[in-house]
Amino acid sequence: MHEIVLNLHMHTRYSDGTGLHRDLARAAWKAGVDVLLVTDHNVWVDGVEGYYANGNHKVLLLVGEEVHDRTRQPQKNHLLVFGAQREMAPLADDPQRLLDAVNQAGGLAFIAHPHDPAAPTFHEPDISWVDWEVTGYHGLELWNAMSEFKGHLRSWAHALYYTFQFHQIAQGPYPEALERWTSLLAAGQKVVAVAGSDAHALHKRLGPVRKVLFPYEWHFRAVNTHLLLPEPLSGDLSTDRGRVYAALRQGRAFLANDLLAEARGFRFTGQGQGQEAFPGESLPLNGGVTLKARLPRKAEIRLRRYAEVIQTWKNHEVMAYTATRPGAYWLEMFLFRWGRRRTWIISNPIYVE
């Protein structure tokens, strides 16, 4: 498998961001990100997809859309749409009709920031997803970097602290989002987890002081989604767009806070009866499946079956476990940095059936 780093869910001047698509590509070059998936609010921007190169550095920029009903009060139900290759915002008032249309177009639908609580001090409303009876979505944005920042905004002092201490923000997904994901898995759904930056690079001014609130490059160095592709990116837009979306659809992915430590090289596999599976894939139980993981560095490793913690390894680079029950098995890894224990990597599940 060939690993690439994808940063998804970000905004440009076409909605409420401040950069142009080429500005985002420049930031990705500096951060070492391979693919960007831009999702402006209720607008699908045509004609900007492709490879953006700078010497030996190049990034593949793809365009999706973050769709939500602007007329709904309070705001809820934001959906990330990838690969539909057409405008979906006119369907925003009916989440099920929107999801049906995305699937008919051959696209992918991921529920954005499923748990996104209010920040009353700053008049920011709760914009969580609420219509959980819908069907046809492929996954959840389990970890949203800006939503996590919003959750820290309990006072102006907190806002100032985290604005100037970006590295302190990311601690891990909301427990409520994890609970929702694992309950869906336990109900038999194969729900792909991704991480999004929700980057805007907002320009703020306080008297004579001007500051860009979390530049794109900062986001691209932090919370990312790593994809595993059967073949490397070829340099051809159409081919590589298909490879990226196929990996997202399958769930051959893991989430990582790359600001904590380099996560490239992490691997989680299942082996049984001469077969091998990666995250997002399935294996028959047939008496037992051996789950293995290799990390780029030592960390705390926790193996879960749905929400249940099966086993924990402290300060390990590798793990192995024989699964004797069917279920969705996934890993979360932690590092102690900057005064607290923080989530480093979360894998998508390997399904033992």
Side-chain angles (χ1 to χ4, degrees), residues 47-353:
V48 296
E49 287 195 331
Y51 274 97
Y52 290 69
N54 177 26
N56 293 327
H57 301 284
K58 65 178 180 179
V59 61
L60 174 60
L61 188 146
L62 301 175
V63 176
E65 185 177 10
E66 183 178 2
V67 181
H68 58 97
D69 183 1
R70 295 183 187 274
T71 67
R72 174 170 180 158
Q73 296 300 328
Q75 268 293 308
K76 303 290 181 183
N77 296 343
H78 288 223
L79 189 73
L80 299 175
V81 177
F82 310 138
Q85 302 305 107
R86 67 180 180 87
E87 180 61 67
M88 289 291 173
L91 305 173
D93 63 324
D94 185 336
Q96 188 59 66
R97 187 163 64 109
L98 170 61
L99 284 162
D100 291 343
V102 172
N103 282 288
Q104 289 167 9
L108 296 166
F110 283 75
I111 291 173
H113 39 72
H115 179 73
D116 196 322
T121 301
F122 299 89
H123 309 291
E124 290 288 341
D126 183 311
I127 55 172
S128 304
W129 186 275
V130 293
D131 289 347
W132 288 105
E133 71 279 4
V134 298
T135 60
Y137 55 90
H138 299 89
L140 306 178
E141 186 186 35
L142 186 66
W143 195 351
N144 178 298
M146 280 304 291
S147 175
E148 188 177 6
F149 169 67
K150 177 183 167 188
H152 293 317
L153 300 183
R154 296 183 293 276
S155 69
W156 280 101
H158 287 96
L160 286 172
Y161 175 78
Y162 286 107
T163 295
F164 289 93
Q165 300 292 329
F166 177 78
H167 64 280
Q168 289 281 6
I169 295 173
Q171 300 173 18
Y174 283 114
E176 294 86 350
L178 281 167
E179 182 180 358
R180 174 67 66 174
W181 182 50
T182 55
S183 68
L184 291 169
L185 295 175
Q189 296 189 47
K190 292 185 177 180
V191 182
V192 178
V194 296
S197 62
D198 209 349
H200 294 73
L202 297 176
H203 292 253
K204 297 295 183 180
R205 181 172 181 174
L206 183 61
V209 179
R210 297 185 180 184
K211 180 174 177 59
V212 178
L213 188 61
F214 311 143
Y216 293 112
E217 184 184 344
W218 290 14
H219 275 293
F220 300 165
R221 292 185 183 277
V223 178
N224 291 304
T225 300
H226 293 233
L227 297 181
L228 299 177
L229 311 182
E231 298 177 274
L233 295 176
S234 67
D236 176 75
L237 170 60
S238 178
T239 299
D240 293 344
R241 182 199 292 129
R243 288 174 180 172
V244 168
Y245 288 149
L248 279 174
R249 186 183 297 275
Q250 181 72 46
R252 290 195 305 272
F254 62 89
L255 293 52
N257 179 4
D258 289 300
L259 200 61
L260 281 180
E262 175 62 66
R264 285 185 192 259
F266 165 72
R267 292 294 183 271
F268 176 41
T269 60
Q271 296 175 337
Q273 298 294 311
Q275 301 179 56
E276 183 177 50
F278 290 88
E281 299 176 344
S282 303
L283 279 175
L285 183 58
N286 286 340
V289 168
T290 301
L291 301 172
K292 297 180 180 179
R294 183 184 73 249
L295 281 63
R297 57 162 300 153
K298 291 181 180 179
E300 178 184 337
I301 307 170
R302 183 183 290 179
L303 173 67
R304 288 182 183 255
R305 176 182 175 268
Y306 307 127
E308 177 190 6
V309 177
I310 300 298
Q311 189 166 330
T312 300
W313 293 262
K314 297 283 189 178
N315 199 32
H316 274 58
E317 291 183 52
V318 297
M319 58 75 65
Y321 178 86
T322 300
T324 57
R325 293 183 292 166
Y329 290 84
W330 58 282
L331 293 173
E332 55 185 343
M333 282 131 280
F334 304 91
L335 290 173
F336 191 87
R337 287 288 184 278
W338 307 308
R340 69 169 59 240
R341 178 175 173 268
R342 300 173 186 272
T343 302
W344 179 30
I345 298 172
I346 295 175
S347 78
N348 268 278
I350 291 174
Y351 299 95
V352 178
E353 299 179 337

